[in-house]
Structure formats: structure tokens, C-alpha cells
Amino acid sequence: MKIRYFDHVATNPLREEILEAMLPYLKEEFGNPLSPYELGTRARTAIEEAREKVASLIGAKPSAVIFTSSGAEANNFALRGIALARQNKGKHIIVSRVEHHSVLNSARFLEKSGFTVTFLPVDKHGMVEPDTLKKAITKETTLVSIIHASPEVGTIQPIKELSAIAKENDIIFHTDAVASAGNIPVDVNELGVDLLSLAAHQFYGPKGAAALYVRPGLRIVPLIYGGIQENGRRAGTENVPAIVGMGKAAQMAKAELPEKMKHVKKLRDKLIEGITKVENVYLTGHPTERLPGHASFCVEFIEGEAMLLMLAAKGIYAASGSACSSKALKASPVLLSMGIPASLAQGSIVFTLGSENSEEDIDYLLSEFPQIISRLREISPYAGGWGNTEEKGQCIPKK
Amino acid sequence: MKIRYFDHVATNPLREEILEAMLPYLKEEFGNPLSPYELGTRARTAIEEAREKVASLIGAKPSAVIFTSSGAEANNFALRGIALARQNKGKHIIVSRVEHHSVLNSARFLEKSGFTVTFLPVDKHGMVEPDTLKKAITKETTLVSIIHASPEVGTIQPIKELSAIAKENDIIFHTDAVASAGNIPVDVNELGVDLLSLAAHQFYGPKGAAALYVRPGLRIVPLIYGGIQENGRRAGTENVPAIVGMGKAAQMAKAELPEKMKHVKKLRDKLIEGITKVENVYLTGHPTERLPGHASFCVEFIEGEAMLLMLAAKGIYAASGSACSSKALKASPVLLSMGIPASLAQGSIVFTLGSENSEEDIDYLLSEFPQIISRLREISPYAGGWGNTEEKGQCIPKK
Amino acid sequence: MYSKEVMDHFMNPRNVGEIPDADGVGEEGNPTCGDVMKISIKVKDGKIIDAKFKTFGCGAAIAVSSMVTEMVKGKTIEEALSISKETVAEALGGLPAQKMHCSNLGADALRRAIEDYKSKQGIQTPKAAKTKKKKAKTVKKTRKGT
Amino acid sequence: MYSKEVMDHFMNPRNVGEIPDADGVGEEGNPTCGDVMKISIKVKDGKIIDAKFKTFGCGAAIAVSSMVTEMVKGKTIEEALSISKETVAEALGGLPAQKMHCSNLGADALRRAIEDYKSKQGIQTPKAAKTKKKKAKTVKKTRKGT
Ligand SMILES: Cc1ncc(COP(=O)(O)O)c(C=O)c1O
Ligand SMILES: Cc1ncc(COP(=O)(O)O)c(C=O)c1O
């Protein structure tokens, strides 16, 4: 069966050209970049070239890019590294409620370690209002971390405005751009951020390579201590092939970005138009300020994982923020924080598009998906509505 | 020029069979292991199979193996994760002076965070004496971390005895087996350890995959927070190809261990015999309790990096613990802690052998190296001795 | 992730629907948590001669509902009450550990349907009024390594 | 890591040795830190007509020594004193940043040799008795990204 992959926010296939670029470093160029002989110095050179390419993707200086093993590591590094480095100035940090788990749980870890954390609410589109941030700032605040684009609802935050508020107050600003870098223009100076996380596997690069941008001159406490790799800021023998792959991926993403955005946006618009024709299906996230390849919905009266299984049986791969589809068995906190009732949030379904998706893929999806919705609604006890006790208005998450 | 690679402790080439095993996961099997459709579940299965193989290499249960991105990360995770998890019981930890930087610097970070750290001295062979450990233990001690085998001098510590002392005192015991796992038998129950670090690139596996063994039931605080990967103990999208490669590498290492040990030991003995024939060249580390492929020396009156460069010009790749060859520009603390004078430590040279080295490689090395020593001694002002002010006995590191 | 039997019962669920003149109806779960099952039964001469279900929930929940309605048909009330989470999971070739408790509500919904039937019949079942909540002892097929 | 010139001067060092009847001898560095250079010079009519070195140290240290002894030959004492870390590094096509200060002791050793020469000649150089320690302003070739 032909597979239609609509889950680019989960991960991306590794592009052939990128694997080609990596292969020498998986074969004869196996040297440790710290070794002084040529086998080592070639590996070091390869890393530094990759650093330049990654830096160029985000408009940064190469020396400001620190390679990590994952977006999650970059986020942990940013939050804890800055909170610790600045703890003498204050012990309050601010994050939004729509952050990735790696930011949220780093923040909670800091909370346990004696920091105070404000979790900023968002509007119904998952957007942080600049005013909300302004009000949350105290004299103790040292760090604000707001996600650039949401992997769950596609909403793009007004980072420029938010970072300006932080700057006015002499507060360090981090943005998690894992879901956006390589998918929309991301420029650290445009955005006005001090730190920014990105991950290669979100733009056709390899798993195992990600990076944290740290504004030159900003002190950060390492997350992984040891040798002098990454200028003493991140120890461990470098994953040379993956880093080289990330460089190549960044280079290609930069070159192809306008075309890719145009391509996926066209498909996405068609997808959204087609799917929202079905009754009781709602677009989640911002209608316009969203990732160009991101289409996310709540389908009423049925559950996300069941949709995913039926879609998968048709060769369609997508994602869901429902409780049952998450291994943690909790409905997406992002959806709930946007005010979506917990019962409706169970019907979450997310399609994220990539360069290799075609119009025919969308046609196929649109021909199959409405039937799947109907079939599951036939099985659902709520096909006629949530009923008295389960009215939408009442399904606000208890807790 | 033919390259003779004698730096297996820096990193290993990736074996062809291992790359073969990884390739599907760098191509069509690119799924995120958390995704519920088959592309994802196949990736998850691949990881779990790799976990079984890694567990089997060290005689552990698969569920006790947590994948990390490097040996350094595993060591940071072990030290900080246990120190934090047990801080209510006490805030004293013990490490040796011959640990890898990733252990030493994690310990120093803990020191800054309010823990007390004892750095255990070693004897002239780099060995921790069990009595020294016994005496260092206080009521506050929660964790002891002693390296299994030294990458710098090859000495294998009496882990079994040391861990028994910890156990008697109800103290958690970690060993950094990055330089030993895959090179000598490493069995967590034999060794009696609660935690153990290992890294794939030290046994012909890929960079970017390593693991921490955590005894079942032992609570550890994550180093990288986020999603529920690795059972919530280590977040971040899994580096599936590298993990698969680590599995394959573990499987091969286990199968080939006796043969590999025999092979490298024979070559090593020849190498040591040949090189120590040169005047004023001393074996460092333990004469018998050492890694079978490890030959390390101090060559008097000349400096290590210069040796490395001249060796490299002959196609021979080795390592040194001299100040000039380290990017941190400090002579190896391991050598100094063994009582080797700082001036002599500058003459450090380390050859580490692997399966692919041949007897001919050793013959070649033995034919070239004495000339290199002579040549550098001709240039050295100390060829006739360290002189009055620089007698060996007086060259104890100042500081 | 799911066994063949689960996928079969999910993709081709048996006994979907509601019995219009049901003798007993039971519901278990809450849509805010993810799974709700509604089972209706038809009883004749102390035997369950028909059972239908409606389910809001994941693949496991739908498969469990289908399997429970299949298992229960032809059974006496007493026999039906012996159906447990474990026997349902076993009949399905196992369930992933994480789905064992949250999505495996079929036996509970069935029990509620039987209670409903009994109360309509005026049968006294002082104990059964409270759904038994036994901890599962065996989970046959769990995901490795978690 | 090293430029071609560094590698050339390291692999084929010029002027290795000691001048038996040297007019001045200077030493800089400490073996416990890694690098020691010893330079001896022969002076005639105010010009350095020969220079030799012995060095304990890394590739950069040996290349620097070789280069300094080459640069100094034929120079007057005054000209020789203008040789600095920077000019030596430049002549070598650059040195890695980390080697710039720790292994680049050639100019200092040379200065000490000249002081030794002057003091033997009874020439007064009140200032030169202390080796000038200037901070380098430019490092031409540094490793990228570090
Ligand atoms: C004993 C020991 N521990 C830790 C490490 C660090 O491992 P990695 O380089 O995978 O971070 C090394 C590196 O070779 C090592 O030899
Ligand atoms: C916004 C965001 N942040 C962080 C992460 C975590 O990145 P990784 O999976 O590379 O650890 C993700 C994962 O997709 C993400 O979408």
C-alpha cells in the first residue's frame, strides 16, 4: 500500500542527498574531532562547516551555535543553563502553557529546585498575548521561554513583540523553534531572541543532531559537563555524521524554503477546506498565523487514536493530541489550555505536510477521511450530540 | 600512505556490518518510535531489540538500559541523577582522581550546588585502594563513582571489591565503563554495580549512541526532561539508527570478545616489550591489570604532541596526555595523580589497539618509533637529563 | 502495537448499535478521559440472547466492546458476570499494558447493563450495585521495555 | 591544525643544536608546563651571525624555535629585538590560537639570549632585563568556531 506521510511534525524522512553527505563520516572518516592527526582534524573541519550552515539558516554567527543531540536536550540546556547562570539576579522564569514537554518539564524541575515559574495562559488560538507576558514579569524574572510555532496546532507566536518586552526588562529570551526552523524563516536577530532551539529531524536531517543558539557573550551553565567539545559548553564525543547531516539539511532547507512553503501551504489550504466541510469538525490553532504545512482539527464525538488507526489502515499517517493516542494517556495540555473541552480534545487529529506530499495525496485523504469520521460516529454513543451531562460547555477539564 | 590506527580509545571505526544494520533506519524506516502507525512501531521494536542486545552485553535486564547520546551524557546523568534523587539521605559523593572529565566535572558541578565531594587518590598504577574508599565514606555518602578502566593508562580498577564496600554501607555505586565495555567482560552483577555507563563508539558502534545501566528499582532524576521516551527517564526523539547500531555493535562485541582480547593482548605485549627497550621510556598504568589492547608510556625528555605529529607523518595515529596535545592545555590529571612528575607527563604517549591491527602494524611502529624518539631527543635541551633544577623528584606539579 | 484480534475487532466491530427494546443498558467511562462504552443486552430465560454496543474511544476500547458483546451472547447472567478485564484482554490476544485499564471498560459496562436488567426485573443484588474494581493480576501482552 | 610552514619547520627544523662558544644563551619556559626553548647566539660586529636552538615541546614550539633562529641570522641586535610572538607566528603562516602564547616562546628566549650577550659585554640595558610581556593583538590564523 502506498504510504501518505502527513506526520512531518513527528519526524521527517532523511533526504537522500543528506545521507550521502553523512556516509563518509559513517565510513572512512570516523575520526574523533579532538584527535590531532588528519583523520581527527578533517572531522573537526566537517563539524565547523556544518556549524556555519546551521548558523546561516538562522542568521547567526557560527560560534553561537552549540550542537546537542535533540531538540529536547537543547530546550533543557537553555532553560536550566540560563536559570542557573543567572540565579544570583533572580529566581523567576516565565514559560507559556503551550510549550513542548521538554520546556514545561524543565520548568517544573526548576520549580522543584527553588525557582518560581509562571505558566502563561494563551488565547483560543493558542497565542500568547504580549500584555499577558508584560504583567507576569517581576523584578526576579531572568528568563522567558516561548515556543515559536506549536507542533500541535501550528500557531506561530508573535516572538518579535514578546522578545522586545523581555529585552526592555533586561530579561533573557529563549524560543523553542524546533517545529519552525527549516519550515518557515527563522532569524535570531529578526526574532530578537537570545537563545533558540532547533532540531535537524524536523527539516529532513538526521535524528541525533540538534542545536541551541546562544547569543555571543551570554553565559550559560552546561547541561552535560566533561571535555572541551563545543567550547566547553557541551561535552561528549561529537556525533560527527549526524552533525554533518544537520549542516547539509540546514543548507538545503534554506535554499528550498520559499518553494517548500508555497508547496505545503497550497496543499494545506486544500486539506483544511476539504476537511472542515464535514460537520462538527473544527480547525484548531490560528487560522492564518500558522505553519504553512500544518492542519490540525478536532473532530467531534469520536476519538483521535481510532481515527489514526483507520487512517493508517488506508496508508495515511497522521498524529493526534488525544489522551489515548499519547503514551502518557493525557489529552494534549495545549488543546486544553486553549479552552477546548476535554471531550472535544479527544477528537484531535493533526496533519503536517512536507515537500514530498502531492496534491494527489490530499485528494486521497479527502476521499477517505470523511468515511472514517462517519464510521466512527456510527459506533459512537454521542453521534447525536454530547447529551445533557456532556454538553460541550460543561466538558471543561476538571482537575 | 597506509594508516595504522592505534587510537581506539579516542573512537573506533564503524564496522561495515553495523552500518548495514543502521542503513534501513537512515532510509525508509525513518519513523518516530512514538508514532502509533507501523512506521513508528517498527522503529520502536528496533530500539527494544537493540536494548536487549546492549543489556545482554553487560548481563543486565533490557528495562535497566537507558539510551543516551554519549558516554559523557551517561556519566552526567548517573552522577547528578543519583545525587539529586538521594539528596535527602545525604549530600556527600565520592569519585576517584582518575575519572573521565565527564565524571570529574559533574562532581565539581555538584560541589558548586552544595554537595561535598571526595576525590580519592590512587597509587602509582592509577589504582584506587579499597581501604582508601572505606576511609572516605561518611554517614552522608550516597554515591561512589569509580571508573572501570582508564582510557589514559589502561588500569582496570578492582570494581568488585570497591562496590562491595559501597553496598555494605548502603551507598549507590556507579562505574564508568566507557573504555572497558566491549573490550573486556563487563557484567553488572559480577561487578556488583548499581549504575554503569558505556558508549557504542568504543566498540565499533556509531557515535551518538551510549547507555546508562540503572539497576531496576533505583530511582534516578532525569538529566533531560520532556516526553516519555526511555520510560520518562531520558527525553528527546530517539536516535534510532545510532541505537540500532549500538545494538548490533553490542551483539558483535559480545560474540567476538574472547578472540578480540586475545588478538590485541598479543600485539600489545609485543608493543610494550619493543618500546620499553628504548632507554628512559616507562610503561604507565598497571603492568598486568590493564586493558588488553592498551599500551601507554612516558618517554622522557620529549613532549607528546611532537611525538604524535611525527608518528602521524608516518601514518601512525596515537594519543597523548601531554599538556600541549590536550586542547585544554593541561597535562593529564590522571598521570599527575599517579605521582608522575609534570615534566615526565609531557612525554605521554598512548597506543590503543583494535581488532583490525595486525602484527605487521606493530613491527612498523617498532621500526619507526625509536627513530622518532631519538630525533626529538636530539632537539631537546634535556637529552642528557633534566638537570639540577628539573630533577624528576622535584617536578611535582605546582599549582 | 495491537494484536491481530484487536485490529480485527476494531476494523470490523461486531454488534455495533443499540437494542431498541433492550432489557438492560450499561454505560462506563467519561468522554473527558477518552473512553465511554454503552452496552445494551436482550435477555431471555436467564440467557443473554443479544448484545450491542456504542463506544467513544480508541482502537482498544472499540475492540474490547466488540469482543465483550461477542463473548456474552448465549451466556447466562451468572456466566456473563464472570467476564473480566483479563478474560476480555486474553480473548483479544492481549492488550498493551497502558491500555489495559483505561480502555478496557467492556466488562464494567456489561456489568452495569446486567445490574440495570436485574433492577428492572426487581432482582436484589446488593453487592453488584457497586461495580467490582479488582486490580488486574496478569497482563498477557505488554510492550517490551516499558 | 598547523600550517604548511609550521609542519615544514617542525619536520625539518633548522639550526638545531648549541653553539659551543656562544656569545649569548637564553632559555624560556618550564618543562612542567610543556615547552622550554634554549637559544644560543653568536654575535659579530653587532650582528647575529649564528643562532641555534634546543627545544622541549610540541610541534608549534619546535617550529617557532626553528623559525626564530632563521629570522634572527644576519640581523643587528636592535633588529633582532623587534622580533615578536606575532611576527614569528606570521612568518609561520599563523598558529592555532591556543598555541599562540604557550608554545610561542621563541622571541622571549631570543631576548634572553640577547640580554645574556649584552650583560657579558657589560652593556647596560636596564629595561631589557625584564622580558617584555605584551599581549598579542592579532592572531592571524585561528581555528574556526572555537
Ligand atoms: C572512560 C571514559 N568515560 C567517558 C568518556 C566519554 O564518552 P563519550 O566520548 O562517548 O562522551 C570516555 C571517552 O572516550 C571515556 O574513555
Ligand atoms: C516544538 C518542539 N520542541 C521540542 C521538541 C523536541 O525535539 P526532539 O524530538 O528533537 O527532542 C519537539 C519535537 O518534535 C517540538 O516539536
Side-chain angles (χ1 to χ4, degrees):
Chain A
M1 186 174 40
K2 191 177 165 191
I3 296 298
R4 328 271 172 157
Y5 190 71
F6 293 126
D7 199 8
H8 289 82
V9 86
T11 196
N12 286 205
L14 182 63
R15 292 243 315 239
E16 229 173 280
E17 300 92 319
I18 298 174
L19 175 56
E20 284 304 319
M22 292 167 65
L23 276 179
Y25 300 91
L26 290 162
K27 294 180 177 172
E28 64 279 7
E29 296 297 337
F30 65 86
N32 186 318
L34 286 185
S35 295
Y37 39 79
E38 281 185 32
L39 183 69
T41 53
R42 285 197 304 268
R44 164 132 318 274
T45 305
I47 287 181
E48 297 314 325
E49 283 171 6
R51 199 186 307 280
E52 284 171 25
K53 290 173 188 159
V54 171
S56 162
L57 177 67
I58 56 170
K61 284 196 186 147
S63 63
V65 170
I66 306 176
F67 287 114
T68 68
S69 67
S70 68
E73 185 192 329
N75 284 339
N76 276 258
F77 184 14
L79 264 80
R80 290 157 62 186
I82 295 297
L84 286 188
R86 301 176 87 77
Q87 61 181 330
N88 291 337
K89 305 201 177 176
K91 296 189 92 171
H92 176 234
I93 71 168
I94 300 174
V95 304
S96 85
R97 278 187 212 272
V98 292
E99 298 301 313
H100 186 261
H101 290 298
S102 50
V103 168
L104 286 179
N105 290 338
S106 292
R108 292 200 183 104
F109 171 75
L110 287 169
E111 230 175 1
K112 274 197 211 154
S113 316
F115 288 79
T116 312
V117 182
T118 301
F119 295 88
L120 290 185
V122 293
D123 68 13
K124 67 180 177 179
H125 296 131
M127 202 85 118
V128 174
E129 283 170 41
D131 243 22
T132 323
L133 172 59
K134 251 184 219 160
K135 283 176 194 152
I137 288 172
T138 73
K139 275 188 190 160
E140 283 276 301
T141 313
T142 57
L143 174 68
V144 174
S145 181
I146 313 273
I147 195 166
H148 189 199
S150 167
E152 299 186 54
V153 297
T155 301
I156 299 171
Q157 303 288 345
I159 295 298
K160 213 172 157 169
E161 281 168 76
L162 298 167
S163 71
I165 295 169
K167 190 169 287 166
E168 275 164 31
N169 290 277
D170 218 16
I171 294 167
I172 299 301
F173 194 95
H174 167 251
T175 191
D176 171 3
V178 171
S180 57
N183 292 297
I184 54 171
V186 168
D187 182 296
V188 293
N189 295 313
E190 271 287 307
L191 294 173
V193 297
D194 300 304
L195 301 107
L196 183 145
S197 308
L198 68 165
H201 73 100
Q202 296 278 336
F203 46 92
Y204 297 98
K207 296 173 179 62
L212 180 66
Y213 160 81
V214 180
R215 180 167 56 67
L218 182 61
R219 195 173 88 80
I220 184 162
V221 170
L223 182 67
I224 301 180
Y225 282 92
I228 53 112
Q229 292 98 347
E230 299 300 297
N231 248 341
R233 295 188 291 183
R234 199 270 184 180
T237 294
E238 297 93 336
N239 188 347
V240 184
I243 289 173
V244 167
M246 184 171 189
K248 181 76 182 169
Q251 187 182 37
M252 292 180 72
K254 190 179 172 182
E256 298 170 9
L257 193 57
E259 204 180 329
K260 178 182 170 186
M261 284 175 67
K262 211 175 118 190
H263 174 72
V264 295
K265 186 172 182 305
K266 192 174 148 218
L267 300 186
R268 180 203 69 183
D269 290 346
K270 180 170 177 162
L271 195 167
I272 292 181
E273 201 199 315
I275 285 196
T276 48
K277 274 187 190 144
V278 182
E279 253 182 54
N280 298 321
V281 173
Y282 312 100
L283 183 73
T284 59
H286 203 282
T288 58
E289 296 300 301
R290 62 187 301 131
L291 289 171
H294 199 289
S296 55
F297 310 93
C298 278
V299 179
E300 208 149 27
F301 313 130
I302 61 178
E303 192 277 334
E305 194 228 37
M307 284 190 263
L308 292 184
L309 283 175
M310 288 210 169
L311 284 165
K314 298 284 180 185
I316 297 168
Y317 289 172
S320 167
S322 80
C324 288
S325 68
S326 94
K327 306 264 143 131
L329 297 176
K330 279 185 200 145
S332 156
V334 171
L335 298 176
L336 302 182
S337 69
M338 289 159 62
I340 293 174
S343 48
L344 182 55
Q346 305 305 340
S348 149
I349 187 93
V350 182
F351 302 96
T352 41
L353 311 179
S355 315
E356 76 281 14
N357 290 130
S358 68
E359 189 142 355
E360 196 265 326
D361 287 343
I362 306 293
D363 290 336
Y364 178 76
L365 169 65
L366 291 179
S367 76
E368 296 292 340
F369 193 49
Q371 299 175 40
I372 289 174
I373 298 181
S374 307
R375 231 172 123 199
L376 286 171
R377 284 187 177 160
E378 268 165 45
I379 304 178
S380 169
Y382 301 114
W386 293 109
N388 287 347
T389 52
E390 299 293 354
E391 268 177 29
K392 273 204 285 181
Q394 299 182 356
C395 291
I396 300 296
K398 315 153 188 175
K399 213 197 156 177
Chain B
M1 186 174 39
K2 192 178 166 188
I3 297 297
R4 328 271 171 158
Y5 189 71
F6 292 127
D7 199 8
H8 289 82
V9 86
T11 196
N12 286 204
L14 182 63
R15 292 252 305 247
E16 228 173 281
E17 301 92 317
I18 298 174
L19 176 56
E20 284 304 319
M22 291 166 66
L23 276 179
Y25 300 91
L26 290 161
K27 294 180 176 172
E28 65 279 7
E29 296 296 337
F30 64 86
N32 186 317
L34 286 184
S35 295
Y37 39 79
E38 279 184 34
L39 183 69
T41 53
R42 285 197 303 268
R44 164 132 318 272
T45 304
I47 287 182
E48 297 314 324
E49 283 170 6
R51 198 185 308 280
E52 283 170 25
K53 290 173 188 157
V54 171
S56 162
L57 177 66
I58 56 170
K61 283 194 187 152
S63 63
V65 170
I66 305 176
F67 287 114
T68 69
S69 67
S70 68
E73 185 192 329
N75 284 341
N76 275 259
F77 184 14
L79 263 79
R80 290 156 63 185
I82 294 298
L84 286 188
R86 301 177 88 77
Q87 61 182 329
N88 291 338
K89 306 202 177 173
K91 297 188 92 173
H92 176 236
I93 71 169
I94 300 174
V95 305
S96 85
R97 279 188 211 271
V98 292
E99 298 300 313
H100 187 261
H101 290 297
S102 50
V103 168
L104 285 179
N105 290 338
S106 292
R108 293 201 182 101
F109 171 76
L110 287 169
E111 230 176 1
K112 274 196 211 155
S113 316
F115 287 78
T116 311
V117 182
T118 301
F119 295 88
L120 290 185
V122 294
D123 67 15
K124 65 179 178 179
H125 297 132
M127 201 86 117
V128 174
E129 281 169 42
D131 242 24
T132 323
L133 171 58
K134 250 183 221 161
K135 284 177 192 148
I137 289 173
T138 74
K139 275 187 191 161
E140 284 277 301
T141 313
T142 57
L143 174 67
V144 174
S145 181
I146 312 274
I147 195 166
H148 188 201
S150 168
E152 299 187 54
V153 297
T155 301
I156 300 171
Q157 303 288 344
I159 296 297
K160 211 171 158 172
E161 282 168 77
L162 297 167
S163 71
I165 296 169
K167 190 167 288 163
E168 274 165 30
N169 291 277
D170 219 15
I171 294 166
I172 300 300
F173 194 94
H174 167 251
T175 191
D176 171 3
V178 171
S180 58
N183 292 298
I184 53 171
V186 168
D187 183 295
V188 293
N189 295 313
E190 271 287 309
L191 294 173
V193 297
D194 300 304
L195 301 107
L196 182 143
S197 308
L198 68 165
H201 73 100
Q202 295 279 338
F203 47 91
Y204 296 98
K207 296 173 179 64
L212 180 67
Y213 160 81
V214 180
R215 181 167 56 69
L218 182 61
R219 194 172 87 81
I220 184 162
V221 170
L223 182 68
I224 301 180
Y225 282 92
I228 53 111
Q229 292 98 346
E230 300 299 299
N231 249 342
R233 295 187 291 184
R234 199 269 182 181
T237 295
E238 296 93 334
N239 188 348
V240 184
I243 290 173
V244 167
M246 184 171 189
K248 181 76 182 171
Q251 186 182 36
M252 292 179 73
K254 190 179 173 183
E256 298 170 8
L257 194 58
E259 205 180 329
K260 178 182 170 187
M261 284 175 65
K262 210 174 119 190
H263 175 71
V264 295
K265 186 171 182 305
K266 192 174 148 221
L267 300 187
R268 181 202 70 182
D269 290 345
K270 180 171 178 162
L271 197 167
I272 293 181
E273 201 199 313
I275 285 196
T276 48
K277 273 188 193 145
V278 182
E279 252 183 55
N280 297 321
V281 173
Y282 311 100
L283 183 74
T284 59
H286 202 283
T288 58
E289 296 300 300
R290 61 187 301 131
L291 289 171
H294 199 290
S296 55
F297 310 92
C298 278
V299 179
E300 208 150 24
F301 313 129
I302 61 178
E303 192 277 335
E305 194 228 40
M307 283 190 263
L308 292 184
L309 283 175
M310 290 213 169
L311 285 166
K314 297 284 181 185
I316 298 168
Y317 289 173
S320 167
S322 81
C324 288
S325 67
S326 95
K327 305 263 144 137
L329 297 176
K330 277 184 201 146
S332 156
V334 171
L335 297 177
L336 303 182
S337 69
M338 288 158 62
I340 292 175
S343 48
L344 182 56
Q346 306 305 342
S348 150
I349 186 93
V350 182
F351 302 95
T352 42
L353 311 179
S355 315
E356 76 281 15
N357 289 130
S358 68
E359 189 143 352
E360 196 265 325
D361 286 343
I362 306 293
D363 289 334
Y364 178 77
L365 169 65
L366 291 180
S367 75
E368 296 292 339
F369 193 49
Q371 298 176 39
I372 289 174
I373 297 181
S374 306
R375 229 169 126 200
L376 287 171
R377 284 189 178 159
E378 268 165 45
I379 304 178
S380 169
Y382 300 114
W386 293 109
N388 288 345
T389 53
E390 298 294 356
E391 269 177 30
K392 273 203 288 182
Q394 298 180 0
C395 292
I396 300 296
K398 313 155 187 172
K399 217 201 155 176
Chain C
M1 187 171 77
Y2 286 135
S3 69
K4 262 191 196 157
E5 287 85 350
V6 170
M7 283 310 292
D8 177 39
H9 275 267
F10 167 65
M11 294 300 291
N12 311 293
R14 284 62 146 174
N15 315 311
V16 173
E18 284 169 288
I19 302 175
D21 55 346
D23 296 318
V25 178
E27 193 178 306
E28 186 67 48
N30 184 322
T32 63
C33 312
D35 294 302
V36 177
M37 287 176 204
K38 199 168 168 181
I39 289 183
S40 50
I41 51 174
K42 189 84 194 149
V43 184
K44 199 172 171 191
D45 301 335
K47 272 197 178 160
I48 295 172
I49 56 163
D50 199 8
K52 288 206 181 298
F53 81 91
K54 287 248 172 164
T55 289
F56 168 87
C58 65
I62 289 170
V64 159
S65 315
S66 168
M67 178 54 84
V68 165
T69 52
E70 280 289 276
M71 286 169 80
V72 83
K73 281 200 267 183
K75 286 212 163 60
T76 64
I77 291 293
E78 280 319 299
E79 284 165 356
L81 281 171
S82 75
I83 293 173
S84 67
K85 277 183 168 33
E86 287 71 31
T87 52
V88 175
E90 210 163 315
L92 283 168
L95 281 175
Q98 50 169 358
K99 298 283 184 184
M100 192 61 197
H101 298 294
C102 68
S103 308
N104 190 351
L105 305 172
D108 296 337
L110 173 64
R111 206 164 282 125
R112 284 200 190 278
I114 292 172
E115 282 161 29
D116 182 47
Y117 161 75
K118 285 185 175 174
S119 76
K120 278 179 180 158
Q121 302 292 311
I123 303 173
Q124 292 285 7
T125 48
K127 275 263 177 82
K130 257 199 159 185
T131 310
K132 272 194 250 169
K133 296 226 171 175
K134 268 201 297 184
K135 280 259 165 187
K137 263 175 234 143
T138 50
V139 179
K140 276 216 72 172
K141 193 181 161 192
T142 60
R143 279 175 47 245
K144 285 180 217 158
T146 56
Chain D
M1 187 172 77
Y2 286 133
S3 69
K4 261 192 197 159
E5 288 85 349
V6 170
M7 283 310 291
D8 178 38
H9 275 268
F10 167 65
M11 294 300 291
N12 311 294
R14 283 63 146 171
N15 315 311
V16 173
E18 284 168 288
I19 302 176
D21 54 344
D23 296 317
V25 177
E27 192 177 306
E28 186 67 50
N30 184 323
T32 63
C33 312
D35 293 302
V36 178
M37 286 176 206
K38 199 169 170 182
I39 288 184
S40 50
I41 51 173
K42 189 84 195 151
V43 184
K44 200 174 171 186
D45 299 336
K47 271 195 180 165
I48 295 172
I49 56 163
D50 199 8
K52 289 205 179 299
F53 80 91
K54 287 248 173 166
T55 289
F56 168 86
C58 65
I62 289 170
V64 159
S65 315
S66 168
M67 178 54 84
V68 165
T69 50
E70 279 290 276
M71 287 170 79
V72 83
K73 280 199 265 182
K75 285 212 165 58
T76 64
I77 292 293
E78 280 319 300
E79 284 165 356
L81 282 170
S82 75
I83 293 173
S84 67
K85 276 184 169 32
E86 288 70 30
T87 52
V88 175
E90 212 165 312
L92 284 168
L95 281 176
Q98 49 168 0
K99 298 282 183 183
M100 192 59 198
H101 298 294
C102 69
S103 308
N104 191 349
L105 305 173
D108 296 337
L110 173 64
R111 205 164 283 123
R112 285 200 189 276
I114 292 172
E115 283 161 28
D116 181 45
Y117 161 75
K118 286 185 174 173
S119 78
K120 278 181 181 156
Q121 302 293 313
I123 302 173
Q124 290 284 5
T125 48
K127 276 261 175 81
K130 255 197 160 185
T131 310
K132 271 193 249 170
K133 297 228 169 173
K134 270 199 295 183
K135 279 257 164 187
K137 263 172 236 148
T138 49
V139 179
K140 276 214 74 168
K141 193 180 158 193
T142 61
R143 279 177 46 247
K144 286 180 215 161
T146 56

